[in-house]
PDB file of all heavy atoms in Angstrom:
ATOM      1  N   TRP N 378      18.362  -6.619  -6.384  1.00  0.00           N
ATOM      2  CA  TRP N 378      17.563  -5.722  -7.217  1.00  0.00           C
ATOM      3  C   TRP N 378      18.490  -4.765  -7.962  1.00  0.00           C
ATOM      4  O   TRP N 378      19.395  -4.194  -7.338  1.00  0.00           O
ATOM      5  CB  TRP N 378      16.630  -4.890  -6.343  1.00  0.00           C
ATOM      6  CG  TRP N 378      15.425  -5.580  -5.808  1.00  0.00           C
ATOM      7  CD1 TRP N 378      15.239  -6.008  -4.521  1.00  0.00           C
ATOM      8  CD2 TRP N 378      14.206  -5.879  -6.506  1.00  0.00           C
ATOM      9  NE1 TRP N 378      13.989  -6.566  -4.385  1.00  0.00           N
ATOM     10  CE2 TRP N 378      13.334  -6.497  -5.587  1.00  0.00           C
ATOM     11  CE3 TRP N 378      13.778  -5.683  -7.825  1.00  0.00           C
ATOM     12  CZ2 TRP N 378      12.051  -6.922  -5.937  1.00  0.00           C
ATOM     13  CZ3 TRP N 378      12.506  -6.110  -8.170  1.00  0.00           C
ATOM     14  CH2 TRP N 378      11.661  -6.721  -7.236  1.00  0.00           C
ATOM     15  N   PRO N 379      18.250  -4.500  -9.258  1.00  0.00           N
ATOM     16  CA  PRO N 379      19.098  -3.541  -9.968  1.00  0.00           C
ATOM     17  C   PRO N 379      19.049  -2.154  -9.324  1.00  0.00           C
ATOM     18  O   PRO N 379      20.032  -1.418  -9.342  1.00  0.00           O
ATOM     19  CB  PRO N 379      18.505  -3.492 -11.392  1.00  0.00           C
ATOM     20  CG  PRO N 379      17.375  -4.468 -11.434  1.00  0.00           C
ATOM     21  CD  PRO N 379      17.267  -5.163 -10.112  1.00  0.00           C
ATOM     22  N   GLU N 380      17.914  -1.810  -8.710  1.00  0.00           N
ATOM     23  CA  GLU N 380      17.781  -0.500  -8.059  1.00  0.00           C
ATOM     24  C   GLU N 380      18.864  -0.299  -7.001  1.00  0.00           C
ATOM     25  O   GLU N 380      19.277   0.829  -6.729  1.00  0.00           O
ATOM     26  CB  GLU N 380      16.411  -0.374  -7.368  1.00  0.00           C
ATOM     27  CG  GLU N 380      15.228  -0.204  -8.308  1.00  0.00           C
ATOM     28  CD  GLU N 380      14.637  -1.543  -8.778  1.00  0.00           C
ATOM     29  OE1 GLU N 380      15.355  -2.564  -8.758  1.00  0.00           O
ATOM     30  OE2 GLU N 380      13.458  -1.553  -9.172  1.00  0.00           O
ATOM     31  N   ILE N 381      19.319  -1.390  -6.396  1.00  0.00           N
ATOM     32  CA  ILE N 381      20.332  -1.272  -5.334  1.00  0.00           C
ATOM     33  C   ILE N 381      21.702  -1.008  -5.971  1.00  0.00           C
ATOM     34  O   ILE N 381      22.466  -0.176  -5.499  1.00  0.00           O
ATOM     35  CB  ILE N 381      20.341  -2.541  -4.458  1.00  0.00           C
ATOM     36  CG1 ILE N 381      18.980  -2.668  -3.746  1.00  0.00           C
ATOM     37  CG2 ILE N 381      21.478  -2.512  -3.450  1.00  0.00           C
ATOM     38  CD1 ILE N 381      18.755  -3.986  -3.015  1.00  0.00           C
ATOM     39  N   ALA N 382      21.961  -1.696  -7.075  1.00  0.00           N
ATOM     40  CA  ALA N 382      23.234  -1.469  -7.777  1.00  0.00           C
ATOM     41  C   ALA N 382      23.304  -0.034  -8.293  1.00  0.00           C
ATOM     42  O   ALA N 382      24.372   0.562  -8.370  1.00  0.00           O
ATOM     43  CB  ALA N 382      23.371  -2.465  -8.920  1.00  0.00           C
ATOM     44  N   GLU N 383      22.142   0.521  -8.640  1.00  0.00           N
ATOM     45  CA  GLU N 383      22.121   1.864  -9.254  1.00  0.00           C
ATOM     46  C   GLU N 383      22.150   3.001  -8.244  1.00  0.00           C
ATOM     47  O   GLU N 383      22.158   4.173  -8.635  1.00  0.00           O
ATOM     48  CB  GLU N 383      20.853   1.987 -10.127  1.00  0.00           C
ATOM     49  CG  GLU N 383      20.941   1.182 -11.413  1.00  0.00           C
ATOM     50  CD  GLU N 383      19.572   0.818 -11.990  1.00  0.00           C
ATOM     51  OE1 GLU N 383      18.562   1.379 -11.516  1.00  0.00           O
ATOM     52  OE2 GLU N 383      19.523  -0.052 -12.879  1.00  0.00           O
ATOM     53  N   LEU N 384      22.160   2.704  -6.955  1.00  0.00           N
ATOM     54  CA  LEU N 384      22.214   3.773  -5.952  1.00  0.00           C
ATOM     55  C   LEU N 384      23.501   4.582  -6.124  1.00  0.00           C
ATOM     56  O   LEU N 384      24.517   4.048  -6.572  1.00  0.00           O
ATOM     57  CB  LEU N 384      22.184   3.186  -4.538  1.00  0.00           C
ATOM     58  CG  LEU N 384      20.844   2.661  -4.023  1.00  0.00           C
ATOM     59  CD1 LEU N 384      21.057   1.942  -2.688  1.00  0.00           C
ATOM     60  CD2 LEU N 384      19.852   3.804  -3.847  1.00  0.00           C
ATOM     61  N   ASP N 385      23.468   5.853  -5.725  1.00  0.00           N
ATOM     62  CA  ASP N 385      24.668   6.678  -5.723  1.00  0.00           C
ATOM     63  C   ASP N 385      25.427   6.355  -4.431  1.00  0.00           C
ATOM     64  O   ASP N 385      25.199   6.960  -3.384  1.00  0.00           O
ATOM     65  CB  ASP N 385      24.253   8.162  -5.779  1.00  0.00           C
ATOM     66  CG  ASP N 385      25.453   9.081  -5.743  1.00  0.00           C
ATOM     67  OD1 ASP N 385      26.571   8.583  -5.497  1.00  0.00           O
ATOM     68  OD2 ASP N 385      25.270  10.291  -5.956  1.00  0.00           O
ATOM     69  N   TRP N 386      26.306   5.360  -4.521  1.00  0.00           N
ATOM     70  CA  TRP N 386      26.949   4.851  -3.303  1.00  0.00           C
ATOM     71  C   TRP N 386      27.895   5.868  -2.676  1.00  0.00           C
ATOM     72  O   TRP N 386      28.141   5.843  -1.462  1.00  0.00           O
ATOM     73  CB  TRP N 386      27.633   3.513  -3.580  1.00  0.00           C
ATOM     74  CG  TRP N 386      26.602   2.411  -3.658  1.00  0.00           C
ATOM     75  CD1 TRP N 386      26.042   1.901  -4.791  1.00  0.00           C
ATOM     76  CD2 TRP N 386      25.970   1.750  -2.555  1.00  0.00           C
ATOM     77  NE1 TRP N 386      25.091   0.951  -4.461  1.00  0.00           N
ATOM     78  CE2 TRP N 386      25.042   0.833  -3.091  1.00  0.00           C
ATOM     79  CE3 TRP N 386      26.093   1.829  -1.181  1.00  0.00           C
ATOM     80  CZ2 TRP N 386      24.240   0.009  -2.300  1.00  0.00           C
ATOM     81  CZ3 TRP N 386      25.306   1.012  -0.369  1.00  0.00           C
ATOM     82  CH2 TRP N 386      24.398   0.122  -0.933  1.00  0.00           C
ATOM     83  N   GLY N 387      28.442   6.796  -3.488  1.00  0.00           N
ATOM     84  CA  GLY N 387      29.274   7.877  -2.935  1.00  0.00           C
ATOM     85  C   GLY N 387      28.438   8.718  -1.974  1.00  0.00           C
ATOM     86  O   GLY N 387      28.860   9.053  -0.862  1.00  0.00           O
ATOM     87  N   GLU N 388      27.221   9.013  -2.386  1.00  0.00           N
ATOM     88  CA  GLU N 388      26.286   9.787  -1.564  1.00  0.00           C
ATOM     89  C   GLU N 388      25.878   8.963  -0.327  1.00  0.00           C
ATOM     90  O   GLU N 388      25.805   9.492   0.789  1.00  0.00           O
ATOM     91  CB  GLU N 388      25.049  10.134  -2.417  1.00  0.00           C
ATOM     92  CG  GLU N 388      23.934  10.898  -1.719  1.00  0.00           C
ATOM     93  CD  GLU N 388      24.363  12.279  -1.228  1.00  0.00           C
ATOM     94  OE1 GLU N 388      25.356  12.801  -1.757  1.00  0.00           O
ATOM     95  OE2 GLU N 388      23.721  12.784  -0.288  1.00  0.00           O
ATOM     96  N   VAL N 389      25.649   7.666  -0.551  1.00  0.00           N
ATOM     97  CA  VAL N 389      25.238   6.783   0.561  1.00  0.00           C
ATOM     98  C   VAL N 389      26.315   6.780   1.649  1.00  0.00           C
ATOM     99  O   VAL N 389      26.012   6.854   2.847  1.00  0.00           O
ATOM    100  CB  VAL N 389      24.981   5.342   0.055  1.00  0.00           C
ATOM    101  CG1 VAL N 389      24.763   4.387   1.223  1.00  0.00           C
ATOM    102  CG2 VAL N 389      23.774   5.306  -0.880  1.00  0.00           C
ATOM    103  N   ALA N 390      27.587   6.728   1.238  1.00  0.00           N
ATOM    104  CA  ALA N 390      28.695   6.688   2.216  1.00  0.00           C
ATOM    105  C   ALA N 390      28.619   7.895   3.150  1.00  0.00           C
ATOM    106  O   ALA N 390      28.895   7.775   4.346  1.00  0.00           O
ATOM    107  CB  ALA N 390      30.031   6.654   1.480  1.00  0.00           C
ATOM    108  N   LYS N 391      28.231   9.045   2.589  1.00  0.00           N
ATOM    109  CA  LYS N 391      28.150  10.271   3.419  1.00  0.00           C
ATOM    110  C   LYS N 391      26.966  10.216   4.368  1.00  0.00           C
ATOM    111  O   LYS N 391      27.003  10.789   5.451  1.00  0.00           O
ATOM    112  CB  LYS N 391      28.003  11.500   2.505  1.00  0.00           C
ATOM    113  CG  LYS N 391      29.250  11.829   1.721  1.00  0.00           C
ATOM    114  CD  LYS N 391      29.054  13.106   0.926  1.00  0.00           C
ATOM    115  CE  LYS N 391      29.778  13.011  -0.405  1.00  0.00           C
ATOM    116  NZ  LYS N 391      29.093  13.682  -1.490  1.00  0.00           N
TER     117      LYS N 391
END
Side-chain angles (χ1 to χ4, degrees):
W378 284 105
E380 287 88 337
I381 296 171
E383 287 156 12
L384 285 172
D385 179 351
W386 284 97
E388 178 63 21
V389 171
K391 290 184 216 145

